[in-house]
Every structure is written in structure tokens, then in C-alpha cells.
Amino acid sequence: MASSAAAPKRLVVLVSGSGTNLQALIDGIDAVGSDAYGAEIVAVGADRSGTAGLERAERVGLRTFVCRVQDHPTRAEWDRALAEAVAAYEPDLVISAGFMKIVGKEFLARFGGRTVNTHPALLPSFPGAYGVRDALAYGAKVTGCTVHFVDDGVDTGPIIAQRAIEIRDEDHEDGGDALHERIKEVERKLLVEVVGRLARHGYRIEGRKVSIP
Ligand code: GAR
């Protein structure tokens, strides 16, 4: 008899670099199975080739694609191509897991309200590509990580969940590498937890407020 349980939600994960957040999602889903987790990764996309993140995906047999800005005449055309590449996998949610590009209008027209990003700072403090370094340079004593929906600003979309991490005096000595590693340990767990909850329970975005029933 067919199961009445909802099918796992389809995730496309976007990466740029080492892909440890992607790995956490792969492992988190694998640990319980996609039915119990509520989602499966249907493809992994990147804005550059040959990255550790793509290798992680290939190693476990996930489908991958690469969409590089420099292969398109304009940023808008890259954005459209990225949106089409993602759309080909019919995702319910898109997860930007260390994807170091700002998506544009076309992408948001198709995937706004269902694209989730993880950021290594407590937004709205320290948005952008250098969230860890900027928090250190500011002299902040506490930073953290934020999982949020993507909107048309730079890390400005509605916040889903955050965790705080203390900054230690010695963090100033290595430019933030050790701090970023401490943040990532917490961030990976938070991302796996949040994506699973969104997938299993659904969610509402009202203005800036995100609620998961
Ligand atoms: C993560 O810390 C993520 O928050 C950050 O890049 C790292 C990727 O690590 N993203 C940003 O800074 C986006 N503004 P990973 O490739 O090992 O998952």
C-alpha cells in the first residue's frame, strides 16, 4: 500500500568552496534517511569548477552543475542561467551553503521565499563576504551564525535561526581562522536542523517574521 507520508522535499544546494555545510546536509540526511529527514538533495550547483564542495557531491553520486559568471556576457545573463540550471531540478528549497555570489532578479523571481542562506555572523551585523573578519575588526565580543531567507539585499532577508559564539582574545592572532572554524561547527548543525524543520513542517514568512509550525 502506498505510504501517505509526504514525499521528501527536493533540495538544490549551491556551494563555492570547501562545502563542509553541504557535507553536513549530506550526512544529516544519510543518518536518518530522506523520508525521516523530510528532504533529499537532488543536485549541487557551483559558481566555479574543481572545488572541494563539488568533489563531496560527486563522491556520493549527487548530480552537479557549474554556472560561472565569466562564461556569460553579463551578470544578468549569468543570473538567468543559474536560475534555469536550478529550475531543471525542480527544487522545493534552494540552499546557499557557502555560495559566495549574490543572486539577482531573475533568480529571486523564481526562487524568492524558498532560498535559504547561511552566514557566519549574527545578522544584521557584519553582512557580506567577510562576516568573520569584519566582526573581529570591529572588536565585537560575540558573533555567531545566521540562517535566513535570501532577498534582494546582501544578507538582509528574514532570519530563520541564529546561534551566538564568543570571540576570544586569541582570535585576533590568526585573522579569524580559528573563530571561523568554531562558527562553522555550530553553523553546520544549525543548517541541518533548520532545513529539516522547514522541509518537514513548512513555514510562513510574514514581513520579517519567519515561523515554523
Ligand atoms: C560558511 O561559514 C558560510 O557561512 C560562509 O562561507 C562558509 C562556507 O563554508 N558564507 C558566507 O560567508 C556567505 N556570505 P563551507 O564551504 O565549508 O560550507
Side-chain angles (χ1 to χ4, degrees):
M1 200 169 94
S3 162
S4 60
K9 297 286 185 287
R10 298 170 63 82
L11 309 178
V12 168
V13 183
L14 300 177
V15 295
S16 293
S18 61
T20 66
N21 280 283
L22 164 67
Q23 188 69 54
L25 282 167
I26 292 170
D27 294 344
I29 295 169
D30 192 48
V32 294
S34 53
D35 284 338
Y37 182 76
E40 61 180 337
I41 300 172
V42 294
V44 174
D47 62 330
R48 57 194 81 169
S49 42
T51 65
L54 282 174
E55 279 169 27
R56 290 175 192 278
E58 283 156 9
R59 211 177 295 143
V60 293
L62 290 170
R63 287 178 293 179
T64 63
F65 62 89
V66 174
C67 188
R68 305 190 318 162
V69 172
Q70 60 265 45
D71 294 337
H72 298 85
T74 64
R75 184 81 184 203
E77 282 168 80
W78 168 78
D79 185 58
R80 189 171 313 124
L82 178 69
E84 273 165 22
V86 169
Y89 294 97
E90 301 181 345
D92 297 298
L93 290 168
V94 181
I95 313 299
S96 162
F99 187 62
M100 302 304 282
K101 290 281 183 302
I102 304 297
V103 295
K105 272 196 186 117
E106 186 88 16
F107 189 94
L108 288 171
R110 291 166 97 158
F111 301 109
R114 54 195 178 110
T115 299
V116 172
N117 181 49
T118 180
H119 181 74
L122 289 176
L123 295 171
S125 293
F126 313 118
Y130 303 102
V132 179
R133 194 188 72 185
D134 292 348
L136 264 182
Y138 194 83
K141 301 295 187 195
V142 173
T143 185
C145 52
T146 302
V147 179
H148 65 98
F149 283 107
V150 173
D151 70 3
D152 59 359
V154 177
D155 299 325
T156 52
I159 290 170
I160 309 168
Q162 296 183 296
R163 293 286 183 273
I165 287 118
E166 270 191 49
I167 296 178
R168 302 174 184 159
D169 288 347
E170 59 266 31
D171 287 329
H172 291 269
E173 283 156 27
D174 68 356
D177 291 348
L179 173 60
H180 199 175
E181 278 313 311
R182 292 207 307 287
I183 291 171
K184 284 172 74 170
E185 272 177 35
V186 175
E187 180 182 29
R188 291 190 281 259
K189 291 193 186 91
L190 185 65
L191 184 67
V192 172
E193 178 200 317
V194 165
V195 171
R197 285 176 57 214
L198 293 172
R200 288 189 301 276
H201 304 299
Y203 57 91
R204 282 168 63 168
I205 308 173
E206 289 160 294
R208 293 208 53 86
K209 189 170 182 305
V210 178
S211 39
I212 302 173

